[in-house]
Amino acid sequence: MLTLPAVLTQSEATACLAGFQASLDTTTDAVVCADASALQQFDSSTLAVLLACRREVLKRGKAFSVVGLPERLRTLATLYGVVELLPAADTAH
């Protein structure tokens, strides 16, 4: 599981994504889940991180899901038209 930090804004996005990519190199899970439940402060950069992570996971032939997506971030993803790209963990196959 990839765990997002409490604060993930533009200034943390690059380091966070690099950490996720390093974690992906060591995982053998068929489904990679991002845990967003700790998020307290975020901006649209958080969506960019999640979507970049999703692309990398899919490129590796694995499934991607998200757990604990805060309602404000879900609303932002809906406004940007990408919410369907961030499936909840219980609906990912």
Side-chain angles (χ1 to χ4, degrees):
M1 181 170 293
L2 306 173
T3 303
L4 277 69
V7 176
L8 180 49
T9 60
Q10 183 177 4
S11 60
E12 295 87 19
T14 301
C16 184
L17 186 55
F20 283 172
Q21 288 175 329
S23 294
L24 288 176
D25 289 339
T26 63
T27 188
T28 58
D29 298 335
V31 177
V32 177
C33 183
D35 182 358
S37 60
L39 279 174
Q40 295 178 13
Q41 183 181 349
F42 53 85
D43 60 18
S44 60
S45 299
T46 303
L47 291 177
V49 168
L50 286 169
L51 293 172
C53 185
R54 177 186 177 274
R55 279 191 302 274
E56 187 63 30
V57 167
L58 296 178
K59 187 168 41 171
R60 294 169 186 237
K62 300 173 186 245
F64 180 74
S65 64
V66 180
V67 65
L69 197 65
E71 190 56 39
R72 283 185 8 229
L73 190 55
R74 182 177 304 286
T75 299
L76 188 60
T78 300
L79 290 171
Y80 286 173
V82 297
V83 72
E84 68 278 356
L85 301 176
L86 305 173
D90 58 5
T91 61
H93 299 293

